Amino acid sequence: MKREMTGAKMVVQALKDQGVDTVFGYPGGAVLPIYDEVFQQNDIRHILVRHEQGAVHAAEGYARATGKPGVVLVTSGPGATNAVTGLTDALMDSIPIVVLTGQVPTFMIGSDAFQEADTVGITRPCTKHNWLVKETEKLPAVLHEAFHVATHGRPGPVLVDIPKDVQFATATYTSPKPSVSHYQPQVKGDIEEITELAAAIEKARKPVFYTGGGVINSGPAASQLLRELVDATGFPVTSTLMGLGAYPASGKNWLGMLGMHGLYEANLAMHDCDLLINIGARFDDRITGRLDAFSPRSKKAHIDIDPSSINKVIKTDIPIVGDVGHVLEDLLKVWKSRGRKTNAEAVAKWHRQIDEWRKVKCLSYKPSENTIKPQHALERLEALTKNHDRYICTEVGQHQMWAAQYLHFEDPNRWMTSGGLGTMGYGFPASIGVQMAHPDALVINVAGEASWLMNMQEMGTAIQYRLPVKQFILNNERLGMVRQWQELLHGERYSHSWSEALPDFVKLAEAFGAKGILCKDPADLDDAIMEMINYDGPVIFDCLVEKHENCFPMIPSGKAHNEMLLGEAETKGVIDAKGSVLV
Amino acid sequence: MSALQIKKGASKHSAYNLRPTFSDVQERHTLAVLVENEPGVLARVIGLFSGRGYNIESLTVAEVDHTGHLSRITIVTTGTPQVIEQIKAQLGRIVPVHEVHDLTTEGASVERELAMLKVAGTGDKRVEALRLADIFRANVVDSTLNSFVFEITGAPDKIDAFADLMRPLGLTEIARTGVAALLRGD
């Protein structure tokens, strides 16, 4: 289908043709023609955020909760630069995002015009790809290509910069074609390597699956295949922060999260295993700890759609480049056709060893009747919400790690958190994006008070669109994780790590037209949480928790998996000078 | 390339892939990268090298296919085998990159560079410069009564050697294009 239309209309038409139903954005001079087209149609919902960073995080939340690309529309200059943090966040966590930015007219580019910025230059290192479109006739193809690139291969953010004169000019619109792009990443894994992995599975005595966000990104079928593989082999499975929910937390082979604040049994299984099967994870430094002591005796297989992830930090014995879903399907076929063999006796012994580690009960903490322990607050939140159609977002810090430890995820796409970039201020706008995608679900943002304040202006968005997002703030009046590191590494000199001059969160909620709940007594906690759940509208839940609680277990920087600290352990002097250089 | 047409390093089962990936030895590799000739593509490649801390010894770029809008970037880089593999993988995932070839591992290749050298001098030095230029098969492309501009083509080592000889004879300026390289054979 070919039609003459303006560049601005092409944008709206291309979004419709790409199946977009929701756009998060903020208008400004250089995108006015597009906003004019947005005004004159009803197929695409535009959500007006209160800051462009919020728009990108909301689109990320939407993308992660649906598996579809999130779309952002912002203006030139400050609109684009405000989007940079969100773009980098999406790049690090491989989230498909399409950001459309306005730009000054082509004839003014380079003249330091009002609200001009070199948007493609600034965003080149923080996007998977970006385009500056200088001719209206090229706009439709670029927009379709942008969606293709964002969603194919390792997903990621893309940006299309559209000068204002290109939006006004008229040209022929072309519909998306079944891919004309040369960008076609390999999805099928090498069958020789897959067979080698199947053979390794048959022989393994102490195997472990180490899964990551790649399983979620590959789609629901990949999670199903993972469950089938784990349950058929009976091998234990752990996951990174990004991969929670791919295998259900109630599953019998579940070890819990691994890594710096991962579970004791998961990290020790990684350290002692003889076959490590990495499925869609990337050996991040939060996972590996000290590299030369990482899983020293294991054969390592690595399934990843991005060839650059393989052998980047950890030497891999069985590298498989491909999409997790495709590779797991082939792996299951090969392994079944070879007779579904495992070394069952040795694996049973391995499980008994893991059960010994479980007895350490690494998540136990000192309960209190006077103050709310943050761990207790999350245990109660889990107990009272687990039967709901529930989505959890988080900000970044101690509360994020506690949420990953104490909340349980049964399905993929239910957990939205900033893993790679660690962006404080991510969770609130992300919860808005999730609630837009799932209007009837219970969407909770587990937050710290400091993170939450970074994008609190989005309260206006939540009210405007009647989004009943629940902001569950574990308020310790501290930058808890910073305070913890200062205690462990910097001689208890708490430099600027407390939250002075905090607002009254209940009054703040009321000022925006939302509900505020204050809870400081453990005895009131359950009732207060129920009140939050049952309120039909956005809630700010100010949960005053123990101020000096540390997040354990913890693998200090520069230490190995088997050198982790537990809750009641002596922590003084455990991080040596070399470790304190790491972050 | 072997008679079996297996590229070196193409598979870990290849008999030729004997380099340990995680060795500490620094290697020099010449990479040929075919890219879509679109705005910003060179910035993407250079940004990758600076952003991830890789070395560039030499870089040349020009459009080689005017109808297909493809440019060929020839990069000479150094690093451990693991870093070289990372560079190739990272280049490969830049969207407008079509092909990445490691001319150092894929087979024998020829490398050439063009340089122009300005040598100023009179008397014996001037005669000697001209005589050496003849030995190196350098051409005189400009001359005045007290200077020459030589044009020389060859492997980078040959240009280095020529420049070293010209230095005491009055070398005042040198311009080099960087390396262009192709695999030998068909």
Side-chain angles (χ1 to χ4, degrees):
Chain A
M1 182 185 62
K2 289 192 171 182
R3 274 182 290 157
E4 295 294 310
M5 59 179 81
T6 64
K9 201 172 177 72
M10 284 177 181
V11 170
V12 172
Q13 187 61 46
L15 294 181
K16 284 183 197 169
D17 287 350
Q18 291 291 341
V20 174
D21 53 18
T22 308
V23 172
F24 302 90
Y26 203 100
V31 275
L32 283 175
I34 299 174
Y35 269 87
D36 204 26
E37 291 298 333
V38 168
F39 187 82
Q40 299 175 51
Q41 54 84 46
N42 288 315
D43 298 332
I44 297 169
R45 279 239 275 171
H46 178 275
I47 306 304
L48 177 71
V49 294
R50 298 301 186 267
H51 186 284
E52 289 87 351
Q53 185 191 352
V56 186
H57 292 324
E60 284 186 272
Y62 178 92
R64 291 170 82 151
T66 59
K68 297 198 295 183
V71 181
V72 174
L73 175 60
V74 295
T75 193
S76 63
T81 56
N82 279 344
V84 165
T85 301
L87 287 167
T88 312
D89 190 272
L91 186 72
M92 291 287 270
D93 285 347
S94 308
I95 308 301
I97 299 286
V98 178
V99 176
L100 309 174
T101 52
Q103 180 57 278
V104 301
T106 49
F107 52 85
M108 291 180 80
I109 288 178
S111 69
D112 297 326
F114 177 64
Q115 293 197 327
E116 182 186 356
D118 176 9
T119 302
V120 286
I122 290 168
T123 60
R124 201 174 282 131
C126 61
T127 51
K128 188 174 167 187
H129 196 57
N130 61 15
W131 296 261
L132 168 63
V133 185
K134 287 184 169 175
E135 290 110 22
T136 307
E137 51 267 34
K138 289 188 178 161
L139 187 57
V142 168
L143 290 168
H144 299 318
E145 172 80 356
F147 278 87
H148 175 79
V149 170
T151 52
H152 285 71
R154 182 174 175 175
V158 298
L159 181 144
V160 184
D161 199 23
I162 313 171
K164 198 171 182 182
D165 55 334
V166 172
Q167 299 171 31
F168 274 127
T170 301
T172 307
Y173 177 79
T174 46
S175 302
K177 295 188 191 91
S179 204
V180 288
S181 170
H182 88 90
Y183 182 74
Q184 304 291 350
Q186 175 186 343
V187 290
K188 294 284 272 184
D190 182 277
I191 202 72
E192 261 183 74
E193 301 284 2
I194 290 173
T195 309
E196 197 175 329
L197 176 54
I201 286 173
E202 290 165 3
K203 287 197 284 283
R205 304 177 63 82
K206 297 193 280 186
V208 65
F209 286 112
Y210 150 47
T211 63
V215 185
I216 314 263
N217 274 339
S218 180
S223 292
Q224 276 311 316
L225 288 160
L226 174 72
R227 290 161 191 225
E228 188 184 342
L229 180 65
V230 170
D231 293 336
T233 55
F235 291 178
V237 54
T238 179
S239 167
T240 66
L241 183 72
M242 301 304 298
L244 296 176
Y247 185 81
S250 60
K252 66 180 166 56
N253 295 307
W254 178 239
L255 290 170
M257 181 177 78
L258 82 162
M260 184 172 270
H261 293 287
L263 271 65
Y264 184 73
E265 49 270 36
N267 283 331
L268 261 70
M270 288 289 281
H271 187 267
D272 280 13
C273 67
D274 70 348
L275 174 64
L276 190 162
I277 306 165
N278 174 342
I279 307 177
R282 60 182 174 95
F283 294 112
D284 179 87
D285 57 82
R286 301 291 100 161
I287 297 304
T288 58
R290 204 174 92 211
L291 283 175
D292 58 6
F294 174 73
S295 194
R297 289 174 291 277
S298 63
K299 181 174 230 186
K300 295 173 187 74
H302 188 177
I303 302 168
D304 203 303
I305 197 159
D306 180 358
S308 77
S309 285
I310 288 172
N311 282 330
K312 184 165 70 179
V313 281
I314 296 290
K315 187 179 178 306
T316 302
D317 303 289
I318 309 174
I320 303 173
V321 175
D323 167 64
V324 167
H326 285 83
V327 173
L328 288 184
E329 192 179 0
D330 288 345
L331 177 62
L332 268 163
K333 264 187 215 154
V334 170
W335 178 71
K336 284 176 183 169
S337 71
R338 290 166 60 105
R340 299 168 160 265
K341 293 191 286 280
T342 58
N343 188 341
E345 201 178 313
V347 173
K349 193 176 160 204
W350 175 230
H351 275 289
R352 286 197 293 280
Q353 170 65 65
I354 290 168
D355 287 339
E356 287 301 311
W357 292 327
R358 275 206 180 96
K359 285 181 191 159
V360 169
K361 292 200 188 311
C362 65
L363 291 184
S364 50
Y365 57 92
K366 238 183 226 164
S368 165
E369 288 183 6
N370 306 316
T371 57
I372 301 176
K373 289 284 189 152
Q375 302 95 325
H376 176 67
L378 287 167
E379 281 180 335
R380 294 317 302 156
L381 185 71
E382 167 68 14
L384 296 170
T385 61
K386 67 178 175 190
N387 294 324
H388 285 74
D389 177 17
R390 181 188 77 175
Y391 292 82
I392 301 284
C393 303
T394 77
E395 305 286 345
V396 170
Q398 284 183 324
H399 68 273
Q400 177 190 28
M401 294 296 109
W402 281 318
Q405 291 169 344
Y406 292 92
L407 302 181
H408 300 307
F409 299 94
E410 297 298 313
D411 294 299
N413 304 100
R414 296 271 171 170
W415 164 247
M416 277 47 66
T417 192
S418 171
L421 194 64
T423 311
M424 291 172 73
Y426 167 88
F428 184 15
S431 70
I432 285 172
V434 175
Q435 191 82 70
M436 275 308 300
H438 303 289
D440 300 323
L442 174 62
V443 180
I444 302 171
N445 175 35
V446 177
E449 82 288 348
S451 281
W452 192 83
L453 287 173
M454 281 200 178
N455 270 324
M456 59 162 271
Q457 75 286 346
E458 298 306 329
M459 210 60 214
T461 312
I463 296 292
Q464 181 179 345
Y465 296 95
R466 302 173 196 280
L467 301 172
V469 288
K470 315 299 183 199
Q471 304 303 314
F472 192 73
I473 300 175
L474 298 174
N475 184 351
N476 60 0
E477 301 170 14
R478 302 286 184 280
L479 312 186
M481 194 60 96
V482 173
R483 194 210 64 82
Q484 176 169 345
W485 280 62
Q486 286 171 336
E487 182 185 332
L488 297 176
L489 288 165
H490 295 277
E492 301 180 43
R493 289 179 297 279
Y494 299 119
S495 183
H496 298 272
S497 57
W498 68 92
S499 304
E500 198 77 66
L502 281 173
D504 177 330
F505 283 100
V506 174
K507 280 189 184 157
L508 182 69
E510 286 163 1
F512 274 107
K515 183 178 181 62
I517 298 174
L518 174 69
C519 183
K520 52 189 172 185
D521 186 342
D524 300 336
L525 186 60
D526 278 23
D527 287 347
I529 291 175
M530 286 312 295
E531 190 186 351
M532 173 184 85
I533 296 168
N534 292 329
Y535 181 74
D536 182 20
V539 175
I540 301 178
F541 189 108
D542 185 14
C543 188
L544 299 185
V545 296
E546 167 65 47
K547 297 185 196 327
H548 303 108
E549 193 72 13
N550 281 336
C551 182
F552 291 115
M554 175 179 182
I555 302 175
S557 279
K559 296 285 182 185
H561 277 176
N562 58 350
E563 296 175 280
M564 72 189 315
L565 308 177
L566 295 171
E568 303 300 313
E570 175 60 52
T571 53
K572 298 275 160 58
V574 288
I575 303 179
D576 55 26
K578 204 175 155 199
S580 68
V581 175
L582 304 169
V583 288
Chain B
M1 219 169 286
S2 76
L4 294 169
Q5 293 292 305
I6 299 170
K7 284 182 184 173
K8 265 197 227 179
S11 147
K12 70 181 196 134
H13 306 296
S14 163
Y16 296 96
N17 188 17
L18 299 174
R19 298 158 58 226
T21 320
F22 276 66
S23 139
D24 289 333
V25 183
Q26 292 281 321
E27 296 180 350
R28 180 178 177 277
H29 283 240
T30 305
L31 308 178
V33 189
L34 276 174
V35 301
E36 205 134 322
N37 188 12
E38 59 177 41
V41 66
L42 187 60
R44 282 178 215 285
V45 170
I46 292 170
L48 165 68
F49 277 76
S50 64
R52 293 187 184 263
Y54 305 139
N55 300 313
I56 299 180
E57 280 197 359
S58 140
L59 185 145
T60 62
V61 56
E63 190 169 84
V64 291
D65 175 357
H66 297 303
T67 49
H69 298 292
L70 290 181
S71 288
R72 185 178 174 111
I73 303 178
T74 308
I75 307 169
V76 181
T77 184
T78 51
T80 63
Q82 186 255 345
V83 166
I84 300 284
E85 292 306 313
Q86 261 300 299
I87 291 172
K88 288 190 270 179
Q90 294 288 354
L91 283 170
R93 69 187 201 139
I94 295 177
V95 172
V97 166
H98 286 238
E99 290 171 41
V100 180
H101 293 285
D102 185 343
L103 302 183
T104 307
T105 58
E106 283 180 20
S109 61
V110 278
E111 290 190 359
R112 287 293 180 270
E113 188 178 0
L114 185 142
M116 290 197 283
L117 299 91
K118 186 176 283 179
V119 180
T122 51
D124 287 351
K125 283 188 175 175
R126 184 173 162 85
V127 176
E128 182 63 7
L130 201 58
R131 202 179 64 82
L132 285 167
D134 191 41
I135 293 169
F136 275 79
R137 274 175 268 170
N139 299 319
V140 177
V141 290
D142 177 64
S143 99
T144 66
L145 288 175
N146 44 18
S147 74
F148 287 120
V149 173
F150 295 115
E151 172 205 59
I152 181 169
T153 310
D157 292 355
K158 176 180 161 182
I159 292 170
D160 287 344
F162 185 62
D164 287 345
L165 288 170
M166 287 299 121
R167 209 155 275 128
L169 299 177
L171 178 66
T172 59
E173 240 184 309
I174 181 163
R176 298 174 70 150
T177 60
V179 172
L182 280 180
L183 279 179
R184 287 180 186 274
D186 51 2

PDB file of all heavy atoms in Angstrom, chain B residues 134-149:
ATOM      1  N   ASP B 134      65.277   5.223  -5.866  1.00  0.00           N
ATOM      2  CA  ASP B 134      65.290   4.315  -7.007  1.00  0.00           C
ATOM      3  C   ASP B 134      65.338   2.865  -6.538  1.00  0.00           C
ATOM      4  O   ASP B 134      64.612   2.009  -7.036  1.00  0.00           O
ATOM      5  CB  ASP B 134      66.494   4.666  -7.885  1.00  0.00           C
ATOM      6  CG  ASP B 134      66.419   3.943  -9.210  1.00  0.00           C
ATOM      7  OD1 ASP B 134      65.292   3.881  -9.768  1.00  0.00           O
ATOM      8  OD2 ASP B 134      67.453   3.420  -9.669  1.00  0.00           O
ATOM      9  N   ILE B 135      66.187   2.588  -5.522  1.00  0.00           N
ATOM     10  CA  ILE B 135      66.302   1.228  -4.991  1.00  0.00           C
ATOM     11  C   ILE B 135      64.964   0.761  -4.407  1.00  0.00           C
ATOM     12  O   ILE B 135      64.551  -0.373  -4.572  1.00  0.00           O
ATOM     13  CB  ILE B 135      67.417   1.172  -3.921  1.00  0.00           C
ATOM     14  CG1 ILE B 135      68.766   1.415  -4.577  1.00  0.00           C
ATOM     15  CG2 ILE B 135      67.395  -0.170  -3.175  1.00  0.00           C
ATOM     16  CD1 ILE B 135      69.892   1.653  -3.593  1.00  0.00           C
ATOM     17  N   PHE B 136      64.274   1.709  -3.720  1.00  0.00           N
ATOM     18  CA  PHE B 136      63.000   1.366  -3.092  1.00  0.00           C
ATOM     19  C   PHE B 136      61.810   1.468  -4.052  1.00  0.00           C
ATOM     20  O   PHE B 136      60.675   1.305  -3.659  1.00  0.00           O
ATOM     21  CB  PHE B 136      62.747   2.289  -1.884  1.00  0.00           C
ATOM     22  CG  PHE B 136      63.389   1.804  -0.610  1.00  0.00           C
ATOM     23  CD1 PHE B 136      64.737   1.990  -0.362  1.00  0.00           C
ATOM     24  CD2 PHE B 136      62.627   1.121   0.332  1.00  0.00           C
ATOM     25  CE1 PHE B 136      65.331   1.534   0.790  1.00  0.00           C
ATOM     26  CE2 PHE B 136      63.219   0.661   1.503  1.00  0.00           C
ATOM     27  CZ  PHE B 136      64.566   0.870   1.743  1.00  0.00           C
ATOM     28  N   ARG B 137      62.096   1.765  -5.281  1.00  0.00           N
ATOM     29  CA  ARG B 137      61.079   1.970  -6.309  1.00  0.00           C
ATOM     30  C   ARG B 137      60.044   3.035  -5.890  1.00  0.00           C
ATOM     31  O   ARG B 137      58.841   2.871  -6.038  1.00  0.00           O
ATOM     32  CB  ARG B 137      60.383   0.655  -6.659  1.00  0.00           C
ATOM     33  CG  ARG B 137      61.168  -0.089  -7.727  1.00  0.00           C
ATOM     34  CD  ARG B 137      60.600  -1.442  -8.018  1.00  0.00           C
ATOM     35  NE  ARG B 137      61.248  -2.449  -7.194  1.00  0.00           N
ATOM     36  CZ  ARG B 137      60.849  -3.701  -7.082  1.00  0.00           C
ATOM     37  NH1 ARG B 137      59.765  -4.101  -7.710  1.00  0.00           N
ATOM     38  NH2 ARG B 137      61.516  -4.560  -6.349  1.00  0.00           N
ATOM     39  N   ALA B 138      60.571   4.102  -5.294  1.00  0.00           N
ATOM     40  CA  ALA B 138      59.722   5.258  -4.990  1.00  0.00           C
ATOM     41  C   ALA B 138      59.754   6.204  -6.174  1.00  0.00           C
ATOM     42  O   ALA B 138      60.769   6.288  -6.870  1.00  0.00           O
ATOM     43  CB  ALA B 138      60.226   5.961  -3.733  1.00  0.00           C
ATOM     44  N   ASN B 139      58.649   6.870  -6.418  1.00  0.00           N
ATOM     45  CA  ASN B 139      58.598   7.815  -7.542  1.00  0.00           C
ATOM     46  C   ASN B 139      58.703   9.247  -7.039  1.00  0.00           C
ATOM     47  O   ASN B 139      58.224   9.560  -5.953  1.00  0.00           O
ATOM     48  CB  ASN B 139      57.260   7.682  -8.286  1.00  0.00           C
ATOM     49  CG  ASN B 139      57.093   6.294  -8.854  1.00  0.00           C
ATOM     50  OD1 ASN B 139      58.046   5.724  -9.382  1.00  0.00           O
ATOM     51  ND2 ASN B 139      55.890   5.744  -8.718  1.00  0.00           N
ATOM     52  N   VAL B 140      59.290  10.061  -7.878  1.00  0.00           N
ATOM     53  CA  VAL B 140      59.316  11.487  -7.559  1.00  0.00           C
ATOM     54  C   VAL B 140      58.038  12.091  -8.124  1.00  0.00           C
ATOM     55  O   VAL B 140      57.772  11.990  -9.312  1.00  0.00           O
ATOM     56  CB  VAL B 140      60.549  12.158  -8.186  1.00  0.00           C
ATOM     57  CG1 VAL B 140      60.522  13.657  -7.905  1.00  0.00           C
ATOM     58  CG2 VAL B 140      61.822  11.517  -7.668  1.00  0.00           C
ATOM     59  N   VAL B 141      57.216  12.675  -7.268  1.00  0.00           N
ATOM     60  CA  VAL B 141      55.980  13.278  -7.774  1.00  0.00           C
ATOM     61  C   VAL B 141      56.019  14.794  -7.726  1.00  0.00           C
ATOM     62  O   VAL B 141      55.142  15.452  -8.260  1.00  0.00           O
ATOM     63  CB  VAL B 141      54.738  12.754  -7.002  1.00  0.00           C
ATOM     64  CG1 VAL B 141      54.469  11.305  -7.339  1.00  0.00           C
ATOM     65  CG2 VAL B 141      54.884  12.957  -5.501  1.00  0.00           C
ATOM     66  N   ASP B 142      57.018  15.344  -7.068  1.00  0.00           N
ATOM     67  CA  ASP B 142      57.191  16.802  -7.097  1.00  0.00           C
ATOM     68  C   ASP B 142      58.658  17.093  -6.842  1.00  0.00           C
ATOM     69  O   ASP B 142      59.308  16.393  -6.051  1.00  0.00           O
ATOM     70  CB  ASP B 142      56.340  17.471  -6.016  1.00  0.00           C
ATOM     71  CG  ASP B 142      56.556  18.985  -5.992  1.00  0.00           C
ATOM     72  OD1 ASP B 142      56.201  19.622  -7.008  1.00  0.00           O
ATOM     73  OD2 ASP B 142      57.087  19.504  -4.995  1.00  0.00           O
ATOM     74  N   SER B 143      59.169  18.069  -7.524  1.00  0.00           N
ATOM     75  CA  SER B 143      60.558  18.413  -7.230  1.00  0.00           C
ATOM     76  C   SER B 143      60.781  19.898  -7.396  1.00  0.00           C
ATOM     77  O   SER B 143      60.175  20.561  -8.238  1.00  0.00           O
ATOM     78  CB  SER B 143      61.495  17.577  -8.102  1.00  0.00           C
ATOM     79  OG  SER B 143      61.937  18.298  -9.195  1.00  0.00           O
ATOM     80  N   THR B 144      61.628  20.453  -6.527  1.00  0.00           N
ATOM     81  CA  THR B 144      62.112  21.825  -6.654  1.00  0.00           C
ATOM     82  C   THR B 144      63.629  21.721  -6.659  1.00  0.00           C
ATOM     83  O   THR B 144      64.178  20.603  -6.576  1.00  0.00           O
ATOM     84  CB  THR B 144      61.658  22.705  -5.474  1.00  0.00           C
ATOM     85  OG1 THR B 144      62.291  22.203  -4.298  1.00  0.00           O
ATOM     86  CG2 THR B 144      60.151  22.685  -5.320  1.00  0.00           C
ATOM     87  N   LEU B 145      64.319  22.850  -6.691  1.00  0.00           N
ATOM     88  CA  LEU B 145      65.778  22.798  -6.740  1.00  0.00           C
ATOM     89  C   LEU B 145      66.362  22.263  -5.445  1.00  0.00           C
ATOM     90  O   LEU B 145      67.469  21.753  -5.408  1.00  0.00           O
ATOM     91  CB  LEU B 145      66.347  24.184  -7.055  1.00  0.00           C
ATOM     92  CG  LEU B 145      66.111  24.625  -8.512  1.00  0.00           C
ATOM     93  CD1 LEU B 145      66.587  26.041  -8.710  1.00  0.00           C
ATOM     94  CD2 LEU B 145      66.818  23.669  -9.474  1.00  0.00           C
ATOM     95  N   ASN B 146      65.606  22.372  -4.338  1.00  0.00           N
ATOM     96  CA  ASN B 146      66.164  21.851  -3.082  1.00  0.00           C
ATOM     97  C   ASN B 146      65.206  20.933  -2.326  1.00  0.00           C
ATOM     98  O   ASN B 146      65.294  20.798  -1.120  1.00  0.00           O
ATOM     99  CB  ASN B 146      66.658  22.992  -2.189  1.00  0.00           C
ATOM    100  CG  ASN B 146      65.648  24.127  -2.154  1.00  0.00           C
ATOM    101  OD1 ASN B 146      64.482  23.907  -2.503  1.00  0.00           O
ATOM    102  ND2 ASN B 146      66.091  25.294  -1.751  1.00  0.00           N
ATOM    103  N   SER B 147      64.243  20.312  -3.040  1.00  0.00           N
ATOM    104  CA  SER B 147      63.399  19.310  -2.365  1.00  0.00           C
ATOM    105  C   SER B 147      62.786  18.328  -3.354  1.00  0.00           C
ATOM    106  O   SER B 147      62.683  18.620  -4.546  1.00  0.00           O
ATOM    107  CB  SER B 147      62.275  19.997  -1.591  1.00  0.00           C
ATOM    108  OG  SER B 147      61.302  20.472  -2.493  1.00  0.00           O
ATOM    109  N   PHE B 148      62.444  17.157  -2.817  1.00  0.00           N
ATOM    110  CA  PHE B 148      61.675  16.155  -3.572  1.00  0.00           C
ATOM    111  C   PHE B 148      60.464  15.751  -2.751  1.00  0.00           C
ATOM    112  O   PHE B 148      60.522  15.769  -1.519  1.00  0.00           O
ATOM    113  CB  PHE B 148      62.483  14.871  -3.773  1.00  0.00           C
ATOM    114  CG  PHE B 148      63.612  14.989  -4.773  1.00  0.00           C
ATOM    115  CD1 PHE B 148      64.917  14.750  -4.364  1.00  0.00           C
ATOM    116  CD2 PHE B 148      63.358  15.286  -6.102  1.00  0.00           C
ATOM    117  CE1 PHE B 148      65.957  14.824  -5.259  1.00  0.00           C
ATOM    118  CE2 PHE B 148      64.411  15.360  -7.004  1.00  0.00           C
ATOM    119  CZ  PHE B 148      65.710  15.129  -6.591  1.00  0.00           C
ATOM    120  N   VAL B 149      59.384  15.395  -3.451  1.00  0.00           N
ATOM    121  CA  VAL B 149      58.322  14.625  -2.778  1.00  0.00           C
ATOM    122  C   VAL B 149      58.333  13.245  -3.425  1.00  0.00           C
ATOM    123  O   VAL B 149      58.176  13.119  -4.634  1.00  0.00           O
ATOM    124  CB  VAL B 149      56.936  15.283  -2.914  1.00  0.00           C
ATOM    125  CG1 VAL B 149      55.871  14.359  -2.348  1.00  0.00           C
ATOM    126  CG2 VAL B 149      56.909  16.628  -2.221  1.00  0.00           C
TER     127      VAL B 149
END
